[in-house]
């Protein structure tokens, strides 16, 4: 295992971090929207959000990526591998984050909502400024755990042609015939990234108001 090979793995890990970070943020936005639809009181919106969550939680991520990769060209949409990977990961994590947030939204005290309505807040304003911050605060540990899971699941985006850490390790292993040191190095890089994410998550959790520090 040479520094040149290891540096190639490090460069590929930057793509892993980028794809995962963008997907997690987009997924969080979609998760909040899905939660809003489920609490809107509209039966069609509730059912649509439920179908979305059930599908993307029930179908393996690998199959989802392959479906998106093969479906988009059929309907006349051609996207680069990076965009396809981000779409697939975002849709998948949105479903899981929506379920994580559901408990947080349900845990908001009814009195807070009534007080907001009496203060002149609309339902949408109450959802954005009252319910969402509380739900994010309560479910923050679960959201950090989901971020770590997505970082690990990003290894699957190699099936759509994106050169990230796992794909680079596969390419280097095939060209050098040294799979053990290369995949061991890739595993250590994944471990280091996830440990940093977990550490940042703990620091951020301790800094959040209204939560006991650990």
């Amino acid at each position: 295992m040479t520094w040149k090979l290891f540096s190639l793995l490090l460069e590929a890990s930057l793509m892993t971090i980028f794809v995962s970070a963008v997907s997690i943020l987009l997924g969080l936005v979609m998760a909040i929207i899905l939660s809003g639809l489920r609490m809107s009181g509209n039966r069609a919106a509730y059912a649509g959000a439920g179908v979305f969550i059930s599908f993307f939680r029930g179908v393996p991520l690998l199959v989802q990526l392959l479906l998106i990769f093969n479906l988009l060209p059929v309907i006349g949409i051609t996207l680069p591998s990076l965009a396809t990977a981000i779409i697939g990961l975002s849709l998948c994590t949105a479903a899981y984050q929506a379920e994580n947030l559901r408990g947080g939204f349900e845990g908001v005290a009814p009195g807070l909502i009534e007080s907001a309505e009496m203060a002149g807040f609309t339902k949408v304003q109450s959802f954005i400024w009252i319910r969402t911050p509380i739900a994010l605060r309560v479910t923050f540990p679960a959201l950090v755990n989901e971020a770590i899971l997505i970082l690990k699941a990003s290894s699957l985006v190699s099936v759509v042609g994106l050169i990230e850490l796992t794909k680079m390790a596969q390419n280097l292993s095939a060209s050098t015939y040294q799979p053990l040191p290369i995949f061991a190095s890739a595993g250590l890089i994944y471990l280091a990234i996830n440990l940093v994410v977990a550490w940042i998550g703990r620091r951020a959790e301790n800094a959040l108001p209204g939560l006991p520090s650990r």
Side-chain angles (χ1 to χ4, degrees):
M1 189 65 190
T2 65
W3 169 249
K4 182 178 180 180
L5 293 177
F6 191 73
S7 64
L8 290 173
L9 292 175
L10 288 177
E11 290 177 11
S13 70
L14 296 178
M15 177 60 72
T16 293
I17 295 171
F18 175 77
V19 170
S20 300
V22 173
S23 300
I24 290 164
L25 291 176
L26 289 177
L28 179 59
V29 173
M30 288 189 285
I32 293 173
I33 294 173
L34 287 168
S35 298
L37 293 175
R38 299 194 79 179
M39 294 188 301
S40 65
N42 184 292
R43 290 186 178 181
Y46 180 89
V51 170
F52 178 96
I53 292 171
S54 296
F55 177 82
F56 285 100
R57 291 182 74 230
V59 177
L61 176 57
L62 180 60
V63 176
Q64 295 175 29
L65 289 167
L66 291 172
L67 280 173
I68 295 170
F69 182 70
N70 291 283
L71 176 63
L72 292 180
V74 172
I75 60 178
I77 300 176
T78 302
L79 294 176
S81 299
L82 177 59
T84 303
I86 290 175
I87 290 172
L89 288 176
S90 299
L91 294 174
C92 180
T93 189
Y96 284 94
Q97 291 188 64
E99 281 298 285
N100 289 335
L101 288 171
R102 182 164 63 93
F105 281 115
E106 291 177 350
V108 177
L112 287 175
I113 308 303
E114 294 174 1
S115 298
E117 292 176 353
M118 291 178 64
F121 280 63
T122 64
K123 287 186 177 181
V124 174
Q125 291 174 329
S126 176
F127 177 79
I128 294 174
W129 299 110
I130 305 297
R131 287 188 170 185
T132 298
I134 294 175
L136 289 173
R137 195 182 312 165
V138 171
T139 60
F140 188 79
L143 296 177
V144 173
N145 184 60
E146 175 62 19
I148 293 174
L149 292 176
I150 285 297
L151 268 165
K152 293 188 291 185
S154 66
S155 61
L156 296 175
V157 301
S158 60
V159 299
V160 299
L162 187 66
I163 306 297
E164 40 67 63
L165 180 54
T166 297
K167 185 64 174 179
M168 178 61 74
Q170 291 173 338
N171 292 344
L172 294 178
S173 175
S175 62
T176 63
Y177 302 102
Q178 298 183 53
L180 183 57
I182 289 175
F183 281 109
S185 299
L188 289 175
I189 293 173
Y190 273 116
L191 176 62
I193 294 172
N194 285 322
L195 287 175
V196 170
V197 172
W199 178 80
I200 293 174
R202 287 194 297 270
R203 293 295 296 268
E205 183 182 350
N206 292 338
L208 286 174
L211 285 178
S213 60
R214 295 189 298 178

